[in-house]
Amino acid sequence: MLMIPAIDLKDGRCVRLRQGKMEDETVFGDNPVEVARRWVDAGARRLHMVDLNGAFEGRPVNAGAIRAVAEAFPELPIQVGGGIRDEDTVAAYLEAGVQYVIIGTKAVSAPHFVNDLCLEFPGHVIVGLDSRDGKVAIDGWSKLSNHSAIDMAMRFEQDGVEAIVFTDIGRDGMMSGVNVDSTVELAREVHIPVIASGGISNIDDVRALCGVADEGISGAITGRAIYEGTLDLAEAQRLADELCGACLLDTSDAADERPRVEVWVGAGGGG
């Protein structure tokens, strides 16, 4: 199981939100490159970055900070979301050295866009489902769609996506424990790997996820816990390696010269 540290960007700074609320932020750093270096030094094998302003405004706002991190760590696979609504933005991020581009709200409003990406980048598309009470959220988590997370997971699996990221919005940034049951419920409905997100608070949550890894849980995104020190990233990855064995995700992405596109539904991951 792969542990993926998150860097959420608001006004150029590294922050964490509670339940995706822009007004409820905690600032953890003013220099995204130095924050990224902290996680690289701790052994991060992949980095998750979100342009929070972009998720709400529908256009990239913190692209400069994201480019700086990609340039500083060219061998580190980076996945980026937030405000990506067109192919020009996708191209710009890929050219900047980002290996994964996350599409969120556009995947709900124009599902054919996901299908087009799967055709253009076969084997390189991941869908992220940000869910509240079983429904997928969009526009920076500010709106709930009428779409069931499980139904959409099954639909995008048919389009040929490689994996699914599942976020429980109610637990995101709350450090109340990961929603293992809902994550497993979704994982059992598809035949592609699922990455858990939202609520991880300590090593026990990592242990709990490892206990259901054989259901198809291949990784976990962690944020507030590693910033506040209730979870040690290096220790968490060591435990995951010990309990889960070989990670279901391909961690040799940096060696793949062709960029991959990750598609997330909902603004917590992509927007």
Side-chain angles (χ1 to χ4, degrees):
M1 181 179 292
L2 191 63
M3 303 303 299
I4 309 173
I7 296 180
D8 292 354
L9 298 170
K10 180 184 176 187
D11 304 326
R13 301 183 298 177
C14 302
V15 308
R16 293 300 295 168
L17 305 182
R18 295 184 188 274
Q19 299 181 332
K21 298 176 181 177
M22 288 289 274
E23 68 277 9
D24 192 353
E25 70 173 52
T26 304
V27 178
F28 287 104
D30 293 324
N31 188 328
V33 172
E34 290 308 309
V35 172
R37 191 180 310 280
R38 174 182 175 183
W39 305 134
V40 170
D41 290 344
R45 301 173 190 169
R46 185 182 296 188
L47 192 64
H48 171 66
M49 302 188 72
V50 178
D51 181 347
L52 294 172
N53 300 103
F56 280 87
E57 296 187 23
R59 61 178 182 83
V61 176
N62 293 286
I66 293 167
R67 284 195 300 269
V69 172
E71 291 172 2
F73 306 101
E75 301 303 316
L76 179 69
I78 299 173
Q79 56 193 39
V80 172
I84 302 173
R85 303 286 197 271
D86 55 59
E87 292 183 2
D88 288 343
T89 301
V90 172
Y93 274 132
L94 297 180
E95 290 172 4
V98 170
Q99 283 79 19
Y100 305 83
V101 180
I102 303 163
I103 313 299
T105 296
K106 182 69 176 285
V108 177
S109 62
H112 63 83
F113 191 52
V114 174
N115 182 262
D116 291 344
L117 288 177
C118 287
L119 292 173
E120 186 173 356
F121 301 95
H124 302 302
V125 180
I126 292 178
V127 169
L129 302 170
D130 297 340
S131 175
R132 180 183 284 120
D133 299 325
K135 299 296 183 181
V136 176
I138 59 174
D139 292 335
W141 291 355
S142 63
K143 301 176 184 177
L144 276 184
S145 73
N146 293 320
H147 300 287
S148 158
I150 290 177
D151 288 346
M152 294 201 74
M154 295 172 68
R155 170 178 180 157
F156 287 121
E157 179 183 24
Q158 293 300 313
D159 283 336
V161 302
E162 202 171 58
I164 292 168
V165 174
F166 178 73
T167 302
D168 182 338
I169 296 172
R171 303 201 184 197
D172 188 72
M174 302 302 290
M175 294 178 62
S176 57
V178 66
N179 192 334
V180 175
D181 292 342
S182 293
T183 306
V184 169
E185 181 183 8
L186 186 144
R188 286 174 175 168
E189 296 296 327
V190 295
H191 299 90
I192 52 179
V194 172
I195 303 170
S197 176
I200 294 176
S201 59
N202 54 46
I203 200 69
D204 288 337
D205 291 320
V206 177
R207 188 173 288 108
L209 285 172
C210 288
V212 295
D214 59 356
E215 299 282 1
I217 312 299
S218 62
I221 295 170
T222 178
R224 183 175 292 272
I226 57 175
Y227 286 94
E228 295 192 351
T230 63
L231 179 67
D232 181 275
L233 180 64
E235 179 188 2
Q237 187 62 70
R238 283 194 297 270
L239 178 65
D241 289 344
E242 176 186 342
L243 296 181
C244 303
C247 183
L248 294 177
L249 290 175
D250 177 11
T251 59
S252 61
D253 301 313
D256 185 351
E257 295 182 355
R258 187 178 186 184
R260 298 189 176 191
V261 176
E262 298 200 358
V263 183
W264 295 37
V265 180

